[in-house]
């Protein structure tokens, strides 16, 4: 298990984030600005995904998590939702071979039971094919909601309690083991493109101590240079995790230890 809780133990930090999580926003506005239908922005968004994956792999980022479809995006017009589903199928069919060839492990998190059988089957096959790759773990959050994630983890603990006939131990470690992304460390850097400054029900639990970066750039325009600006901004942050600046200085003793 790779997940370690930043509120239980202070994680190691480096200039390059180990885990970047992105809300890819602004596809619709990118298209509207060009007098194109909104869905043209989603199509271009796939190209930006490819660029982000390549740039992260090159920069040495270990985990990249992309919010592709939220649990609230079903509220959009039927035609846009259907288009996004078709785009998801096409991307899975066309891109998985390339991901595999580049040593990338693909995971998809969210309530996948709401997707049709074809999509569920493509996801399972892609995950199995790429399971042993170690260069970068690319997670696509699809029909994902931070509240859904916390609820499903709570349900699993409740089911475990019922099965064993006594209450399962509930603490941050046991709880987070049941989160959809228990295989990854918490995100170091959160990026939202498209100008909005909200979380929109993304990784609510995991973003507790993540550094936030907001940019006006629409997702289809977010390229390797834009990613490198975000990483540079991250490198300038002081991540204190509750401690003081003085405690972070190299000569400081016991900066990582928490009172028992
Ligand atoms: C993000 O872009 C993609 C999805 C939510 C699927 P939007 O479609 O939200 O684009 P804007 O925010 O309307 O411009
Ligand atoms: C968040 O974007 C979800 C994804 C990028 C998949 P939205 O465009 O759906 O968010 P809101 O509605 O503006 O908060
Ligand atoms: Mg949006």
């Amino acid at each position: 298990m790779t997940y370690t809780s930043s509120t239980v133990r202070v994680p190691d930090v480096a200039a390059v984030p180990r885990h970047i999580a992105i809300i890819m926003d602004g596809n619709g506005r990118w298209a509207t600005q060009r007098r194109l239908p909104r869905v043209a922005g989603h199509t271009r968004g796939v190209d930006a995904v490819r660029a982000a994956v390549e740039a992260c792999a090159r920069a040495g980022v270990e985990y990249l998590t992309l919010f592709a479809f939220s649990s609230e995006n079903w509220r959009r017009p039927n035609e846009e939702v259907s288009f996004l589903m078709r785009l998801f199928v096409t991307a899975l069919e066309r891109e998985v071979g390339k991901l595999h060839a580049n040593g990338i492990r693909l995971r998809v998190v969210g309530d996948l039971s709401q997707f049709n059988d074809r999509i569920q089957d493509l996801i399972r096959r892609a995950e199995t094919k790429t399971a042993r790759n170690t260069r970068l773990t690319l997670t696509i959050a699809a029909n994902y909601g931070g509240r859904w994630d916390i609820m499903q983890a709570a349900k699993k603990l409740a089911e475990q309690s019922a099965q064993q006939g006594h209450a399962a131990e509930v603490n941050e470690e046991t709880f987070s083991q049941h989160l959809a992304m228990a295989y990854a460390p918490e995100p170091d850097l959160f990026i939202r493109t498209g100008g909005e400054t909200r979380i929109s029900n993304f990784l609510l639990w995991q973003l507790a101590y993540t550094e936030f970066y907001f940019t006006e750039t629409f997702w289809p325009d977010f390229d390797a240079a834009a990613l490198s600006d975000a990483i540079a901004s991250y490198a300038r942050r002081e991540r204190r995790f509750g401690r003081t600046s003085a405690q972070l200085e190299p000569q400081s003793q016991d900066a990582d230890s928490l009172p028992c």
Side-chain angles (χ1 to χ4, degrees):
M1 223 233 354
T2 322
Y3 188 97
T4 49
S5 175
S6 57
T7 43
V8 173
R9 195 182 68 79
V10 177
D12 296 331
V13 296
V16 175
R18 261 188 98 189
H19 183 176
I20 300 182
I22 308 182
I23 297 188
M24 311 183 285
D25 198 20
N27 292 351
R29 281 164 288 159
W30 179 93
T32 306
Q33 249 185 10
R34 287 163 178 76
R35 299 176 194 281
L36 296 167
R38 284 179 54 82
V39 294
H42 298 318
T43 304
R44 286 295 291 265
V46 178
D47 298 336
V49 167
R50 216 177 285 118
V53 172
E54 279 168 21
C56 281
R58 246 181 281 124
V61 172
E62 292 172 57
Y63 297 87
L64 172 65
T65 301
L66 302 175
F67 204 6
F69 192 86
S70 78
S71 43
E72 289 70 57
N73 285 145
W74 300 104
R75 296 170 178 165
R76 293 191 177 198
N78 287 338
E79 312 79 69
E80 184 167 339
V81 171
S82 309
F83 186 91
L84 286 166
M85 293 303 141
R86 287 199 300 278
L87 197 60
F88 195 19
V89 169
T90 318
L92 283 165
E93 285 173 345
R94 288 193 190 156
E95 308 289 336
V96 173
K98 264 179 275 173
L99 293 175
H100 187 50
N102 285 295
I104 292 157
R105 170 169 75 142
L106 180 72
R107 299 293 298 257
V108 181
V109 295
D111 181 2
L112 305 185
S113 67
Q114 298 308 304
F115 292 117
N116 66 37
D117 291 347
R118 175 140 183 242
I119 295 184
Q120 291 189 43
D121 185 51
L122 280 167
I123 291 171
R124 264 191 301 267
R125 281 204 255 161
E127 287 186 331
T128 309
K129 186 182 173 101
T130 62
R132 280 189 295 275
N133 295 336
T134 55
R135 187 161 172 227
L136 169 76
T137 297
L138 169 65
T139 300
I140 302 295
N143 192 24
Y144 179 88
R147 290 188 176 174
W148 164 83
D149 199 359
I150 291 168
M151 294 292 294
Q152 65 84 29
K155 271 192 210 156
K156 281 186 191 150
L157 276 174
E159 280 160 16
Q160 193 184 316
S161 303
Q163 263 168 21
Q164 68 194 23
H166 61 87
E169 196 183 334
V170 182
N171 57 44
E172 284 198 27
E173 302 284 352
T174 60
F175 187 80
S176 54
Q177 273 168 34
H178 294 290
L179 291 170
M181 291 194 63
Y183 55 86
E186 292 176 7
D188 298 293
L189 173 62
F190 161 95
I191 299 172
R192 183 171 186 145
T193 63
E196 311 295 355
T197 45
R198 53 178 172 257
I199 300 185
S200 301
N201 197 16
F202 196 22
L203 301 158
L204 299 180
W205 174 281
Q206 297 90 336
L207 295 175
Y209 269 103
T210 302
E211 295 296 326
F212 281 41
Y213 181 86
F214 295 99
T215 170
E216 297 288 325
T217 305
F218 293 138
W219 176 250
D221 289 330
F222 192 82
D223 56 12
L227 183 82
S228 140
D229 287 348
I231 293 178
S233 164
Y234 171 81
R236 291 191 295 270
R237 314 278 178 97
E238 183 177 70
R239 302 189 71 192
R240 293 192 287 276
F241 298 97
R243 299 162 300 174
T244 67
S245 269
Q247 285 176 291
L248 303 183
E249 283 159 23
Q251 69 275 19
S252 169
Q253 299 279 305
D254 297 332
D256 287 352
S257 64
L258 291 169
C260 298

